[in-house]
Amino acid sequence: MQVELSAVIHRRGGAWLARCPEVGTMSQGATYEEALIGLKRITAEYLASFAPPEDYERAVLVPFEVELPERGEPG
């Protein structure tokens, strides 16, 4: 059986970070492809032990903006 999940992948420094928001698994790699392959592997291993919730919905990526404080101002 296959389930369709989401991956959020971004670069931080010299590494690519990948996360599955529906399950909470994470992976990293030197390349985008390595991070995604690692995420698929670790998510499959996780789901072999813990079934996904039957009522989960795929995550939706929604861009948004926040106002950053000026440098020197307290957070």
Side-chain angles (χ1 to χ4, degrees):
M1 176 176 95
Q2 286 189 324
V3 293
E4 189 168 314
L5 302 167
S6 305
V8 177
I9 304 174
H10 66 280
R11 189 174 190 147
R12 179 163 296 162
W16 286 90
L17 307 175
R19 184 175 68 87
C20 176
E22 294 92 353
V23 179
T25 50
M26 298 172 65
S27 178
Q28 70 178 33
T31 66
Y32 176 97
E33 292 80 12
E34 283 181 14
L36 181 57
I37 289 168
L39 182 64
K40 288 180 179 182
R41 181 186 52 76
I42 198 71
T43 302
E45 290 174 9
Y46 177 86
L47 293 176
S49 299
F50 304 99
E54 292 184 20
D55 61 345
Y56 87 92
E57 293 185 24
R58 284 196 55 212
V60 177
L61 181 61
V62 179
F64 66 98
E65 297 177 3
V66 295
E67 196 67 38
L68 296 176
E70 295 294 322
R71 287 189 160 210
E73 279 187 47

